[in-house]
């Protein structure tokens, strides 16, 4: 009887731990929705316009690009439903300026935006 209880307890613990791990990740559709919401923001439009303007003025120089990527969660994150992404204007892989977006998986919306200025200053 004790063996069965221990076995069932271990199975339940194993199942619950995999559920919590699954909640710490965004599905492909949730990631696409997050990126779509970022592309609708004024911050994205401003960075995109700056990059396009500079690329048109200096066509023979290294192009500026807009990069969006999810910031990996650390084990210390207490909120499993909050995810972060970075939107950056880059040149040759170096960030010129960027924004950090926080996304609430349960509400399916961006909950905060923080500007990050790079040490590298190129207009």
């Amino acid at each position: 009887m004790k063996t069965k209880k221990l076995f069932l307890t271990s199975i339940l613990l194993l199942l619950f731990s995999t559920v919590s791990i699954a909640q710490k990740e965004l599905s492909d559709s949730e990631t696409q929705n997050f990126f779509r919401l970022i592309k609708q923001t004024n911050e994205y439009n401003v960075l995109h316009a700056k990059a396009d303007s500079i690329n048109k003025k200096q066509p023979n120089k290294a192009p500026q690009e807009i990069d969006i990527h999810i910031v990996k969660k650390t084990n210390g994150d207490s909120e499993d439903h909050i995810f972060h992404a970075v939107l950056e204007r880059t040149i040759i892989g170096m960030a010129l300026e960027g924004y950090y977006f926080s996304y609430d998986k349960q509400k399916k919306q961006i909950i905060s935006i923080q500007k990050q200025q790079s040490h590298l200053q190129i207009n």
Side-chain angles (χ1 to χ4, degrees):
M1 183 71 173
K2 285 185 178 183
T3 309
K4 287 182 183 179
K5 284 184 181 179
L6 286 173
F7 181 72
L8 286 174
T9 304
S10 64
I11 296 278
L12 289 174
L13 286 173
L14 189 64
L15 287 175
F16 285 120
S17 65
T18 57
V19 168
S20 66
I21 288 170
Q23 291 175 347
K24 291 183 180 184
E25 297 178 5
L26 289 173
S27 68
D28 288 340
S29 64
E30 289 169 326
T31 302
Q32 294 304 318
N33 182 51
F34 188 11
F35 288 171
R36 184 182 53 78
L37 291 173
I38 290 172
K39 289 179 180 180
Q40 293 175 354
T41 63
N42 187 43
E43 290 79 6
Y44 177 84
N45 292 332
V46 168
L47 287 186
H48 197 277
K50 282 183 182 179
D52 282 348
S53 173
I54 291 169
N55 289 339
K56 287 178 184 175
K57 286 180 185 176
Q58 302 172 348
N60 296 330
K61 301 245 178 175
Q64 292 190 10
E65 299 173 343
I66 302 296
D67 294 326
I68 305 173
H69 56 276
I70 300 286
V71 177
K72 298 292 182 190
K73 295 184 81 98
T74 62
N75 293 335
D77 286 347
S78 61
E79 298 183 68
D80 289 343
H81 57 92
I82 306 295
F83 293 84
H84 307 282
V86 176
L87 168 68
E88 296 175 321
R89 181 170 59 105
T90 62
I91 185 168
I92 313 173
M94 295 181 293
L96 301 173
E97 65 180 312
Y99 293 91
Y100 289 97
F101 292 81
S102 296
Y103 175 77
D104 189 325
K105 180 178 177 177
Q106 294 173 342
K107 295 179 183 177
K108 296 182 179 1
Q109 64 185 16
I110 294 172
I111 56 174
S112 73
I113 302 171
Q114 297 176 354
K115 183 173 174 122
Q116 284 298 102
Q117 192 70 26
S118 173
H119 297 291
L120 182 63
Q121 292 292 320
I122 298 177
N123 294 326

